[in-house]
Amino acid sequence: MRYPQGGGLTAERQAFRERVRMEAVAMFADGRGSTEIAKELRVSVRSVQRWRRSWREAGQDAVRSRGPVSRPKLNDRLFAVLEEELAKGPVAHGWPDQRWTLARIKTLTGRRFHKSMTLSGISQMLRRRGWSHQVPARRAVERDEAAVAGRVKEVWPHLEPPRRRSGPGPSSRTRPDSL
């Protein structure tokens, strides 16, 4: 998959998959078995069986690809508008800080485009278009290094369970008390 470059399969990969289907159709006409076809074309037997059923019912055109399963909720033009809105920043849209979260982007798309999307759907749409989650480049100005160091030394050891010491143990996996 080439999500960072725009999503879906490349044109070459789509053409390759279409050729595989058409080779399978030619093998159906020769009377070859599903297992043999699957091995030769390096696809699953289940796919070959599904293609064969479609071929029997409606011919060669039924085996051809019908394109993507669904259309994206935001087409290229609407996504360009969304990118402009995201560039304005969250404060311009009424949020108190400069963090875009998936929930905020969901609210923005609902307000701006009157479209409802799930958080995972928004995440996938953004990744397909080359967006990624961001990590701050610098630490916060308000960060108190002394407090962090004290917490790591004093509090963290009590939260983390003790590690098992490596060393010689019993040769039997059973407990000595169970004998």
Side-chain angles (χ1 to χ4, degrees):
M1 298 304 229
R2 55 184 197 93
Y3 289 132
Q5 291 85 21
L9 298 172
T10 62
E12 296 84 26
R13 192 69 184 160
Q14 288 172 343
F16 171 75
R17 287 187 171 189
E18 193 69 23
R19 278 195 311 274
V20 168
R21 285 191 196 97
M22 292 305 109
E23 286 179 32
V25 167
M27 292 178 191
F28 297 154
D30 292 341
R32 294 171 67 180
S34 296
T35 307
E36 180 186 353
I37 295 171
K39 265 187 188 174
E40 188 169 330
L41 297 178
R42 301 181 74 185
V43 296
S44 69
V45 175
R46 181 71 185 111
S47 291
V48 173
Q49 291 170 344
R50 191 174 57 246
W51 297 338
R52 186 185 299 272
R53 189 177 339 104
S54 297
W55 175 70
R56 279 188 191 140
E57 292 171 0
Q60 181 175 354
D61 289 336
V63 181
R64 292 194 188 281
S65 173
R66 292 176 194 83
V69 176
S70 65
R71 300 217 178 268
K73 291 240 182 179
L74 297 180
N75 59 26
D76 292 336
R77 186 178 53 81
L78 292 179
F79 191 80
V81 173
L82 176 64
E83 283 183 315
E84 290 172 11
E85 296 296 326
L86 292 174
K88 291 177 185 175
V91 174
H93 295 285
W95 283 287
D97 57 12
Q98 286 291 339
R99 287 180 299 139
W100 277 119
T101 62
L102 290 177
R104 289 179 180 182
I105 296 172
K106 177 181 178 175
T107 303
L108 178 65
T109 50
R111 287 180 189 164
R112 185 75 172 82
F113 307 111
H114 305 288
K115 302 226 182 220
S116 177
M117 298 176 71
T118 64
L119 295 180
S120 64
I122 290 171
S123 175
Q124 291 170 6
M125 174 187 68
L126 291 172
R127 271 186 313 190
R128 280 188 214 114
R129 301 294 183 121
W131 287 70
S132 65
H133 67 279
Q134 300 298 304
V135 178
R138 304 182 270 327
R139 299 224 186 256
V141 175
E142 301 86 11
R143 182 179 166 108
D144 183 5
E145 292 295 334
V148 171
R151 180 171 171 80
V152 168
K153 285 182 182 175
E154 297 168 14
V155 178
W156 187 257
H158 299 295
L159 298 176
E160 194 173 274
R163 292 196 178 140
R164 207 172 110 211
R165 302 274 181 222
S166 64
S171 59
S172 171
R173 295 184 67 96
T174 58
R175 293 183 310 194
D177 297 346
S178 66
L179 295 176

